[in-house]
Amino acid sequence: MNDEAKPIRVIVADDDEDIRQLLADMITRDESTELVGTAEDANSAVKLAEETDPDVAVLDWIMPNGGGPKAATDILAHRPETRIVGISAGDATSASLQMGTTGAVAFLQKGFSRSDLVEAIHSAVRW
């Protein structure tokens, strides 16, 4: 990465603590991304986005307080420049269709690799 290039600022929201930590580790291990915070539900994701001004929000589509759809809608209402990457362990077709209607620009089915996540983050900021 170019010394002058700033890392992509990322938040992660997932209700499963182990998954949240795994995602955080994936992001911190890549020099082109910077983890600026994690959240356990939609409400805390929105608050975190307001506090940290991320470039990208990686949101689990099914989590408490409205899940990724509510978090994406609320984040984009206050920070339209934030790009949303949705993740889900559920039905990929249904989740990706729903995510598209709430402003997500990328989707990953859980089980993805670190390189898949980093590429989705980079793709989202180019969107």
Side-chain angles (χ1 to χ4, degrees):
M1 186 170 101
N2 182 329
D3 288 338
E4 296 177 20
K6 294 177 5 180
I8 300 167
R9 296 170 46 82
V10 182
I11 64 169
V12 168
D14 195 300
D15 58 319
D16 183 308
E17 185 177 351
D18 292 334
I19 299 288
R20 195 168 56 245
Q21 185 59 52
L22 177 63
L23 293 169
D25 289 346
M26 289 176 161
I27 291 165
T28 57
R29 289 184 181 178
D30 186 89
E31 66 181 29
S32 69
T33 57
E34 175 187 2
L35 181 71
V36 295
T38 63
E40 66 280 350
D41 63 28
N43 293 340
S44 58
V46 173
K47 182 177 180 190
L48 182 62
E50 290 172 355
E51 293 171 351
T52 62
D53 196 32
D55 300 309
V56 175
V58 177
L59 305 175
D60 184 19
W61 224 241
I62 300 172
M63 59 182 171
N65 299 317
K70 181 185 182 309
T73 300
D74 291 352
I75 289 169
L76 293 173
H78 299 286
R79 291 204 24 79
E81 63 279 4
T82 297
R83 300 296 179 244
I84 307 297
V85 174
I87 60 172
S88 180
D91 176 28
T93 303
S94 175
S96 63
L97 288 173
Q98 186 181 25
M99 284 189 303
T101 65
T102 59
V105 297
F107 169 76
L108 293 169
Q109 181 75 25
K110 284 186 179 176
F112 50 83
S113 68
R114 180 170 59 97
S115 62
D116 291 337
L117 176 61
V118 170
E119 177 54 35
I121 290 168
H122 281 267
S123 177
V125 295
R126 291 189 301 262
W127 183 264

